[in-house]
């Protein structure tokens, strides 16, 4: 018996930080500020996208473009966008290293009330040392696995605070004493929990604690394997999990014109920013130059072509990799979302009702 194929979800990774997800000086300008984010969210809502998500970013990667040097705070932004939209799900990002679980539970419950039950929480357990050290929020005594242990304890407390009248807890990282959090979220059973886990420990955390996880892989076979492993592991835990991947869409009237655009973006790569980014991600110094050259300007999987070509490749990607959805990125969000809503999304809805 083959895997049951249900409705796919298509969302938008908002341009919450300058430069977006292409590290280049030749892309359309993305300033990371509110007007561009509001326009993207409103358009996503109008065309029928399933969710919009913003990351949490506190320090950029420098280079000639100061990539991600300017970024709006995620929860505050999403509260404003909840008022500007009516249907699309609103997913904000929090770092367990920065927010007490009682504060986080209250923030997302508030977002859920503002949005009328559309809130979601993207949990980022890991961190970039420089980003957190600048605010004295980095503890060298915590290992990679320790940070996931902290996130696990944090997440379970947030879940309890959303449903229990009072929470008392004395753990390794947090202590709560008769802790109360009202009002409870509107979402039933609770707001969506989303997480991306690349390492084995992160993958286990995401599958165990989240409703959906973002997965990665060097090729489609690796993506499909990660999706299958997530579902198998979730089933062993007596639950289900939805799997998503990120995808950048570069479109033009013809395949050749779209490829020329992508080549121009690649030619404008800000290698200084790419190198700093990879260093923050833990690439050792002796491999930085090689890894940066291999990655180039694009940070995610990319589909390039005329709208029909992009639509076919997106359909192939979710089908071949057995994904439940994609979070999409555009060099120009207004043009990209307008095209996607008019020429690609209707066909995807027909294929995956």
């Amino acid at each position: 018996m083959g895997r049951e194929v249900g409705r796919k979800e298509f969302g938008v990774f908002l341009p919450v930080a300058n430069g977006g997800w292409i590290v280049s000086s030749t892309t359309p300008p993305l300033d990371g500020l509110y007007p561009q984010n509001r326009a993207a969210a409103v358009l996503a809502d109008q065309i029928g996208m399933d969710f919009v998500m913003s990351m949490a970013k506190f320090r950029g990667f420098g280079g000639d473009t100061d990539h991600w040097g300017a970024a709006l705070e995620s929860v505050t932004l999403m509260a404003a966008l909840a008022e500007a939209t009516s249907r699309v799900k609103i997913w904000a990002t929090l770092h367990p290293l920065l927010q007490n679980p009682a504060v986080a539970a209250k923030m997302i419950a508030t977002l859920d009330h503002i949005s009328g039950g559309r809130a979601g929480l993207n949990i980022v357990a890991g961190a970039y040392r420089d980003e957190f050290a600048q605010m004295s929020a980095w503890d060298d005594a915590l290992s990679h696995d320790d940070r996931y242990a902290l996130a696990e304890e944090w997440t379970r407390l947030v879940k309890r605070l959303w449903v229990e009248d009072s929470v008392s807890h004395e753990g390794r990282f947090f202590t709560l004493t008769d802790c109360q959090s009202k009002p409870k979220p509107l979402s039933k059973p609770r707001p969506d929990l989303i997480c991306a886990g690349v390492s084995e420990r992160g993958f286990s955390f995401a599958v165990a604690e989240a409703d959906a996880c973002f997965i990665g892989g060097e090729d489609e076979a690796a993506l499909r394997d990660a999706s299958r492993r997530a579902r198998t592991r979730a089933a062993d835990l007596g639950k289900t999990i939805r799997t998503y991947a990120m995808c950048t869409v570069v479109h033009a009237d013809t395949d050749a014109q779209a490829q020329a655009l992508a080549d121009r973006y690649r030619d404008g790569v800000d290698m200084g920013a790419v190198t700093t980014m990879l260093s923050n991600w833990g690439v050792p110094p002796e491999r930085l130059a090689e890894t940066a050259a291999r990655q180039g300007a694009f940070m995610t999987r990319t589909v390039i072509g005329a709208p029909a070509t992009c639509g076919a490749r997106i359909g192939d990607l979710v089908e071949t990799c057995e994904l439940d959805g994609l979070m999409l990125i555009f060099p120009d969000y207004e043009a990209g979302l307008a095209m996607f809503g008019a020429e690609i999304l209707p066909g995807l809805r027909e294929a995956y009702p």
Side-chain angles (χ1 to χ4, degrees), residues 78-323:
M78 301 312 275
L81 296 183
E83 281 289 302
T85 57
S86 61
R87 191 202 58 81
V88 70
K89 289 186 284 189
I90 303 291
W91 291 353
T93 297
L94 289 175
H95 291 275
L97 284 176
L98 296 181
Q99 277 91 15
N100 181 278
V103 176
K106 178 74 76 172
M107 292 167 72
I108 300 303
T110 301
L111 180 61
D112 204 45
H113 278 261
I114 294 170
S115 65
R118 293 182 283 136
L121 169 58
N122 177 46
I123 303 165
V124 178
Y128 307 138
R129 188 187 188 283
D130 291 349
E131 183 175 19
F132 286 75
Q134 70 177 357
M135 59 180 92
S136 300
W138 184 262
D139 185 351
D140 282 316
L142 291 180
S143 68
H144 171 274
D145 286 0
D146 287 337
R147 289 193 292 275
Y148 275 103
L150 182 150
E152 192 170 69
E153 185 176 331
W154 184 93
T155 302
R156 290 173 180 175
L157 288 171
V158 169
K159 290 178 180 178
R160 290 181 62 189
L161 287 159
W162 281 341
V163 297
E164 296 180 24
D165 289 335
S166 172
V167 175
S168 293
H169 169 86
E170 187 170 346
R172 178 182 173 189
F173 301 101
F174 302 103
T175 298
L176 301 181
T177 305
D178 185 24
C179 189
Q180 301 178 19
S181 185
K182 301 175 184 177
K184 303 304 183 187
L186 296 176
S187 299
K188 302 301 180 186
R190 52 168 168 72
D192 292 331
L193 291 177
I194 312 98
C195 185
V198 177
S199 67
E200 180 56 34
R201 181 65 177 90
F203 188 82
S204 296
F205 165 75
V207 172
E209 300 298 336
D211 305 302
C213 62
F214 289 104
I215 58 175
E218 292 188 358
D219 53 31
E220 292 185 357
L223 267 179
R224 182 175 62 248
D225 177 66
S227 189
R228 289 175 175 175
R229 284 193 298 115
R231 289 194 180 88
T232 298
R233 192 166 300 185
D236 291 341
L237 296 171
K239 59 171 290 191
T240 59
I241 192 80
R242 294 179 66 81
T243 60
Y244 301 84
M246 294 167 56
C247 180
T248 300
V249 180
V250 179
H251 87 281
D253 290 340
T254 68
D255 289 353
Q257 290 171 338
Q259 188 61 57
L261 272 181
D263 290 343
R264 183 157 66 88
Y265 301 156
R266 289 191 179 101
D267 290 343
V269 60
D270 183 348
M271 291 304 295
V274 172
T275 300
T276 301
M277 179 184 300
L278 293 172
S279 177
N280 273 265
W281 289 353
V283 176
E286 65 273 14
R287 290 177 47 205
L288 269 178
E290 173 194 352
T291 307
R294 185 169 63 251
Q295 175 174 297
F298 287 89
M299 297 172 65
T300 76
R301 189 171 304 278
T302 307
V303 297
I304 302 166
T309 301
C310 290
R313 289 177 178 169
I314 287 170
D316 287 344
L317 182 61
V318 295
E319 190 73 29
T320 301
C321 300
E322 300 181 7
L323 299 169

